[in-house]
């Protein structure tokens, strides 16, 4: 039985009989994150990967081309008791990780997209079968279609898909 503290579970995904969930201590400071893992048959907590204080609050996790992907969100929102933004939205990054969850690369998001997400940040993400990355913010009924750049560190914003009834947050393929 799992008895550890869980502050803010965000997006999750199932792979090989296990549920992998992004976790952070949002809205507390300093920002810490982990990946929490459960067996899908027994729902027993089986593992945890701690990022500690790294790049922000982990909000989503997915598998693509044999590697892990996710985002570390940062926010322009000033949390209760703080006198400064919670990491600043512009510091949000999408990361590619190896099978041990070691960050191999990270990409920023276009300033114009970050302006849509502020004062919150990137909340959900999932790779499509078309090889494009689909991201959500926190509030709008929109999914942002992204492509990794051929050069540089900023993702390309390809399109926006309006989804009535969606309030941002996590997404998944069915």
């Amino acid at each position: 039985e799992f008895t550890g503290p869980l502050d803010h579970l965000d997006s999750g995904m199932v792979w090989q009989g296990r549920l992998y969930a992004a976790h952070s201590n949002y809205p507390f400071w300093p920002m810490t994150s982990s990946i929490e893992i459960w067996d899908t048959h027994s729902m027993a907590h089986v593992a945890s990967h701690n990022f500690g204080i790294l790049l922000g609050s982990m909000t989503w996790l997915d598998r693509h081309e044999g590697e892990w992907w996710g985002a570390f969100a940062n926010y322009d929102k000033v949390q209760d008791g703080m006198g400064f933004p919670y990491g600043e939205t512009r510091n949000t990054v999408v990361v590619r990780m190896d099978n041990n969850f070691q960050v191999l690369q990270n990409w920023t998001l276009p300033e114009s997209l970050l302006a849509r997400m502020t004062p919150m940040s990137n909340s959900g993400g999932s790779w499509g079968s078309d090889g494009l990355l689909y991201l959500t913010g926190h509030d709008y009924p929109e999914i942002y279609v992204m492509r990794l750049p051929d050069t540089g560190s900023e993702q390309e914003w390809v399109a926006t898909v309006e989804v009535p009834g969606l309030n941002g947050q996590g997404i998944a393929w069915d």
Side-chain angles (χ1 to χ4, degrees):
E1 179 177 324
F2 178 75
T3 58
L6 291 175
D7 295 308
H8 192 86
L9 281 174
D10 232 313
S11 294
M13 59 92 55
V14 174
W15 182 62
Q16 295 185 342
R18 294 198 169 175
L19 170 62
Y20 294 79
H23 171 257
S24 72
N25 67 335
Y26 179 86
F28 301 106
W29 188 265
M31 288 186 265
T32 63
S33 295
S34 64
I35 296 170
E36 302 302 326
I37 307 165
W38 288 266
D39 177 274
T40 56
H41 299 298
S42 66
M43 289 311 293
H45 186 266
V46 295
S48 179
H49 176 82
N50 178 24
F51 290 105
I53 301 168
L54 189 63
L55 298 168
S57 294
M58 179 164 259
T59 55
W60 62 266
L61 186 67
D62 197 15
R63 292 282 296 176
H64 178 64
E65 296 183 347
E67 295 178 308
W68 289 103
W69 293 76
F72 287 96
N74 288 275
Y75 306 85
D76 284 338
K77 184 175 182 179
V78 177
Q79 300 295 339
D80 289 341
M82 293 181 168
F84 52 89
Y86 191 70
E88 299 182 356
T89 303
R90 67 185 173 147
N91 292 316
T92 296
V93 292
V94 171
V95 298
R96 179 176 68 90
M97 299 171 284
D98 66 17
N99 286 320
N100 295 314
F101 302 111
Q102 299 303 305
V103 175
L104 302 173
Q105 286 183 288
N106 64 65
W107 291 266
T108 60
L109 299 176
E111 186 176 325
S112 55
L113 177 57
L114 293 169
R116 293 281 309 145
M117 295 178 176
T118 196
M120 299 306 280
S121 192
N122 171 216
S123 289
S126 187
W127 284 94
S129 60
D130 56 5
L132 297 173
L133 179 58
Y134 293 78
L135 301 179
T136 57
H138 191 271
D139 300 303
Y140 294 111
E142 301 172 336
I143 299 174
Y144 310 108
V145 184
M146 310 301 292
R147 178 182 301 126
L148 296 180
D150 291 331
T151 60
S153 60
E154 184 178 282
Q155 289 191 20
E156 298 174 28
W157 184 7
V158 177
T160 300
V161 178
E162 292 186 25
V163 184
L166 178 72
N167 292 339
Q169 303 291 325
I171 57 172
W173 299 101
D174 185 2

